[in-house]
Amino acid sequence: LITGAGEVLTSFARTLRLSRKGLDRNRLERAQRQALDRWLTRDLPKVPFYEGPIRPLNDLPVVDKTTQMESFDEFNQLGLSADDIRGALQDGSFRFGTHTIGASTGTSGNRGFFIISQAENNAWLGSILAKTIPDLLWRQQRVAVVLPQNTGLYDNAGRANRLDLRFFDLTIGPERWQRELEAFAPTVLVAPPKVLRHLADEKSAIRPVRLFSAAETLDLVDRTAIETRFGRPLEQIYMATEGLLAVTCRRGNLHLAEESVFFEFETVGDGLVSPLITCFRRRVQIMARYRMNDLLRLSPAPCPCGSPLRWVLEVVGRQDDIFQIPSGHGTVLVTPDILRNAILEADRRIDDFRIVQTEPGRIEIHLKPELPEDAASAALFAIENLVANRNGRAKVVMNRRQLHLETGRKLRRVESRIPAWRAD
Ligand SMILES: [Zn+2]
């Protein structure tokens, strides 16, 4: 953790400075613009995909995950291909020389890879500390991070002056590390919501002072259970293979990481947007106008906390999980938040569910066997109604089963298994 402490501190200080209370939005945008222009001139042309004359951001093509993964070597300075990364990861290595590599937890055909330098890794750590626990660092903290070990990002776990950082591998399941976690007694815990929910349901004895949900969409049902058990507000770190994208402030509002990422937004409908991100502090792997799969609802107003960073009312889910339902007049689109709310509002006893579109005309609802029959019927009726109100033609099927903690993949309570729809 000590190696590169200078980079950690620089990034820590910059993040605090650019997100500080009362900073004028124009000043933030000016700093952002300067860093972005420098990056477009100096760093972007160093990878083959962007060779040639220097162009303003608006003239660059929008890049999606498929494009970047198919020609991965053209987007990084080392010329590494996706196969190189895949091979190294298969050998259980998260390093390429001094660089850190990793993959998203997507299905095998849809995995995203990343590569960052040691300096970028340190900057990332500085930024995340500045956004999460700057006020706690005056005394010793034990930080536990539970995430899939498919990345080397957390390799520099260890002890520093006021920080004891320990990593727990989600993919091997909590039964393997839960006791160790409890013995460690973290003061700060970062984990996907399903893990926090699992610890809450198991009545785990840990008593963290700060709790962060990370890596997956946070559902209200989980939030309530977690906050009730631990007696603390649940905060959020919104990150992806693409990097650190947003973190909640002390008011609980999720602010975009605009000090290191330039955001553009594509309108999807129903007030939802999908972000294009430009990571203007990353040099090794270039991400410019990169299209994310996520659906966000942005806040129209500044946050009362005084930060100049824009904030997100809700991360609704993934664009791929929008249901596409045939109707008499073409295809009807239903976003994940509408489906989730319809089920949860059908009966207050529903505290977990899955809803899956398995084919255009078929939607499956999965509920626990112990849920009373009338609650399950209400959920079925709510979804049938939702489909009917939009003149959709889909059969809704009920499936009662145990909904176990799955550690090998991201939890998607709302999931579409039919080929992706795009807003363009
Ligand atoms: Zn705020």
Side-chain angles (χ1 to χ4, degrees):
L1 196 68
I2 290 296
T3 55
E7 287 146 354
V8 176
L9 284 175
T10 305
S11 167
F12 182 82
R14 181 177 56 221
T15 304
L16 286 185
R17 181 164 47 81
L18 292 179
S19 57
R20 73 178 184 270
K21 185 177 172 175
L23 177 70
D24 186 49
R25 172 82 198 172
N26 290 328
R27 287 184 60 188
L28 166 72
E29 285 178 3
R30 208 154 53 228
Q32 197 187 33
R33 201 78 227 180
Q34 273 174 6
L36 179 63
D37 285 345
R38 198 166 53 229
W39 179 83
L40 286 169
T41 323
R42 188 189 60 189
D43 300 310
L44 186 92
K46 287 185 186 157
V47 302
F49 192 82
Y50 297 102
E51 265 171 7
I54 289 157
R55 286 175 283 174
L57 189 69
N58 291 343
D59 286 357
L60 300 179
V62 170
V63 169
D64 60 18
K65 188 182 198 169
T66 312
T67 308
Q68 185 158 89
M69 289 311 124
E70 277 171 3
S71 35
F72 193 78
D73 53 328
E74 295 194 33
F75 287 94
N76 72 81
Q77 278 194 23
L78 305 185
L80 294 174
S81 68
D83 280 339
D84 293 333
I85 305 277
R86 198 175 288 119
L89 291 173
Q90 265 161 11
D91 295 342
S93 167
F94 303 114
R95 299 258 163 226
F96 232 106
T98 58
H99 291 73
T100 296
I101 58 174
S104 66
T105 39
T107 48
S108 57
N110 194 27
R111 296 180 87 190
F113 298 119
F114 72 84
I115 173 157
I116 60 171
S117 68
Q118 189 60 51
E120 288 169 341
N121 194 351
N122 289 331
W124 178 87
L125 184 61
S127 177
I128 210 163
L129 288 174
K131 285 172 178 291
T132 52
I133 54 168
D135 54 321
L136 296 186
L137 289 173
W138 58 279
R139 55 180 285 183
Q140 179 75 41
Q141 300 298 333
R142 291 180 303 277
V143 180
V145 178
V146 185
L147 285 175
Q149 167 103 64
N150 51 10
T151 146
L153 270 182
Y154 318 99
D155 272 6
N156 56 9
R159 287 182 82 97
N161 255 352
R162 302 208 168 134
L163 206 58
D164 190 350
L165 187 61
R166 203 172 297 182
F167 178 82
F168 299 86
D169 184 5
L170 172 63
T171 56
I172 60 171
E175 61 284 354
R176 301 269 297 275
W177 43 256
Q178 193 165 330
R179 289 181 111 175
E180 192 197 336
L181 175 76
E182 284 166 357
F184 180 56
T187 53
V188 180
L189 176 58
V190 181
K194 67 185 172 200
V195 170
L196 298 173
R197 170 74 184 268
H198 168 82
L199 292 170
D201 289 349
E202 294 250 299
K203 307 208 175 349
S204 169
I206 53 169
R207 282 280 168 271
V209 293
R210 214 52 85 67
L211 276 170
F212 292 92
S213 142
E216 288 178 6
T217 308
L218 174 62
D219 280 342
L220 191 61
V221 274
D222 293 325
R223 176 193 281 273
T224 309
I226 294 161
E227 291 185 339
T228 305
R229 169 65 195 166
F230 295 107
R232 301 275 174 192
L234 180 59
E235 302 177 53
Q236 278 186 80
I237 300 172
Y238 167 36
M239 61 185 183
T241 334
E242 293 80 13
L244 178 65
L245 299 171
V247 178
T248 43
C249 65
R250 301 296 288 134
R251 299 251 179 168
N253 293 332
L254 192 58
H255 288 268
L256 297 172
E258 293 178 287
E259 77 290 336
S260 55
V261 179
F262 184 79
F263 288 86
E264 298 169 85
F265 297 102
E266 295 179 313
T267 309
V268 181
D270 280 341
L272 298 176
V273 296
S274 184
L276 300 180
I277 59 166
T278 298
C279 304
F280 57 84
R281 297 201 195 272
R282 284 177 63 181
R283 296 173 184 170
V284 175
Q285 180 184 354
I286 296 295
M287 313 201 84
R289 311 196 80 197
Y290 180 93
R291 182 184 272 137
M292 304 277 302
N293 186 12
D294 296 331
L295 292 169
L296 312 180
R297 196 181 304 283
L298 294 174
S299 165
C303 176
C305 79
S307 164
L309 304 176
R310 278 181 294 178
W311 59 287
V312 173
L313 284 171
E314 192 186 1
V315 181
V316 168
R318 293 154 35 102
Q319 192 149 316
D320 290 350
D321 288 326
I322 294 177
F323 281 18
Q324 313 160 63
I325 303 167
S327 82
H329 329 275
T331 303
V332 177
L333 303 177
V334 186
T335 52
D337 55 327
I338 305 274
L339 294 153
R340 175 167 50 236
N341 293 345
I343 291 208
L344 291 176
E345 284 164 14
D347 192 290
R348 293 181 60 181
R349 290 166 292 180
I350 299 174
D351 67 353
D352 202 359
F353 68 92
R354 305 287 184 273
I355 176 165
V356 187
Q357 184 175 22
T358 52
E359 44 192 278
R362 184 182 165 94
I363 296 170
E364 291 179 4
I365 302 174
H366 301 255
L367 291 168
K368 289 188 255 186
E370 53 270 31
L371 184 76
E373 200 52 52
D374 59 322
S377 303
L380 180 68
F381 183 68
I383 297 301
E384 282 175 342
N385 236 345
L386 182 66
V387 171
N389 284 339
R390 299 184 180 218
N391 296 313
R393 293 174 188 161
K395 184 170 169 52
V396 187
V397 182
M398 176 61 66
N399 185 344
R400 306 296 293 266
R401 65 176 176 91
Q402 289 300 338
L403 304 173
H404 294 293
L405 176 71
E406 285 182 69
T407 55
R409 51 169 263 167
K410 281 195 182 189
L411 172 62
R412 287 151 73 192
R413 286 201 170 91
V414 180
E415 179 182 352
S416 167
R417 291 190 192 147
I418 59 180
W421 164 87
R422 272 288 163 210
D424 46 22

